[in-house]
Amino acid sequence: MAGGDGVQEQLKVAFIPGTGRMGSLLAGHLARAGMSIFVGSRSQDKGLQTAQKLLASCPNARIQGGSNHEAAAWANTIFWSPSGSLQERENLVQSLAAYLKNKIIIDVSNVMYFFDESKWGQTSSVLLNQKALGVPARWTTAFKATFYKLLEELPDPQNPHHTFVAGDDEEAVLTTIALVESIPGFKAVKAGGLSNSKIIELLGPLWLFELDKLNAGGNYRSGWKYAV
């Protein structure tokens, strides 16, 4: 399913949920890139309402909305960005297990602030969710060190921001890279196997917030960027 125009034709991309800042922004950008999108939510009505808002901004897009269960059943590729405690996230993924088997799941959440510092670098939310799911799925990571603000005002494609893509399934990694790079101003960087998510999550929002504060007033914009 990876690479070129075939991504638009073959992928059915759900956001679980797609009603938060990251989920709704990514859903809008991928819809504009030609993907078929399903916005999920704990509330079916909220999923439908968010889909309608996105359609108002890109009326020719293919967007629908509903519950998280409907989203998981419909999609072959899922962006995973739930809120709540680690246990609440694990409960959600377990409740969707029957619909997620063997599908690509792109974890864009970063919840290292839930971990005691003694556990930093020892595990990650995506590894915990992979274990909690209990059935085979093709997990990858992306956008874990990306502020939602960078998705509101996209970076200059000539000076792109980079996101680490880690995963153990090569096709899932290539599909994730294609999705990342369908959004103007973003470039994917292969980051090895899924175990490297233990490192990637440490580059997350709390540290980036600190950098923003320390560099307030300067010509600084949060995000992971390589010289190109």
Side-chain angles (χ1 to χ4, degrees), residues 18-21 23-25 27-29 31-32 37 39 44-66:
T19 53
R21 292 181 299 201
S24 60
L25 287 165
H29 289 309
R32 283 185 281 275
I37 300 298
V39 177
Q44 184 184 54
D45 287 344
K46 189 172 181 181
L48 288 166
Q49 290 167 8
T50 302
Q52 289 300 316
K53 288 180 182 178
L54 290 172
L55 279 169
S57 64
C58 43
N60 295 321
R62 293 173 291 169
I63 308 174
Q64 55 187 306

Side-chain angles (χ1 to χ4, degrees), residues 37-228:
I37 300 298
F38 196 114
V39 177
S41 173
R42 286 180 294 181
S43 162
Q44 184 184 54
D45 287 344
K46 189 172 181 181
L48 288 166
Q49 290 167 8
T50 302
Q52 289 300 316
K53 288 180 182 178
L54 290 172
L55 279 169
S57 64
C58 43
N60 295 321
R62 293 173 291 169
I63 308 174
Q64 55 187 306
S67 70
N68 286 329
H69 284 75
E70 290 171 323
W74 173 87
N76 53 35
T77 303
I78 292 99
F79 276 80
W80 181 257
S81 59
S83 60
S85 68
L86 290 172
Q87 188 60 58
E88 288 172 324
R89 294 165 193 251
E90 289 185 16
N91 290 344
L92 176 59
V93 77
Q94 288 171 349
S95 75
L96 300 173
Y99 308 108
L100 297 179
K101 186 176 181 180
N102 296 325
K103 294 184 177 180
I104 296 173
I105 308 175
I106 305 168
D107 190 319
V108 300
S109 63
N110 192 317
V111 294
M112 282 308 298
Y113 46 84
F114 280 128
F115 289 94
D116 181 90
E117 287 190 18
S118 66
K119 295 182 180 177
W120 285 14
Q122 307 304 309
T123 190
S124 70
S125 61
V126 64
L127 292 174
L128 291 175
N129 284 324
Q130 181 189 45
K131 182 178 179 180
L133 179 59
V135 298
R138 298 182 288 166
W139 291 83
T140 66
T141 67
F143 298 108
K144 280 185 169 286
T146 301
F147 274 132
Y148 74 93
K149 288 288 186 182
L150 287 177
L151 293 164
E152 287 183 338
E153 182 182 347
L154 293 176
D156 180 356
Q158 299 302 313
N159 190 21
H161 285 263
H162 294 68
T163 180
F164 291 121
V165 174
D168 296 327
D169 182 285
E170 183 66 11
E171 183 186 25
V173 167
L174 292 176
T175 297
T176 302
I177 289 172
L179 288 168
V180 167
E181 296 186 347
S182 72
I183 302 175
F186 283 91
K187 186 171 178 59
V189 177
K190 280 189 174 183
L194 198 64
S195 64
N196 287 341
S197 62
K198 296 183 291 186
I199 303 167
I200 296 168
E201 286 194 357
L202 292 174
L203 301 172
L206 287 186
W207 182 54
L208 295 178
F209 275 125
E210 183 179 2
L211 290 181
D212 264 357
K213 184 177 180 180
L214 291 170
N215 294 277
N219 185 21
Y220 177 79
R221 194 180 191 200
S222 296
W224 198 253
K225 181 161 68 82
Y226 286 113
V228 292

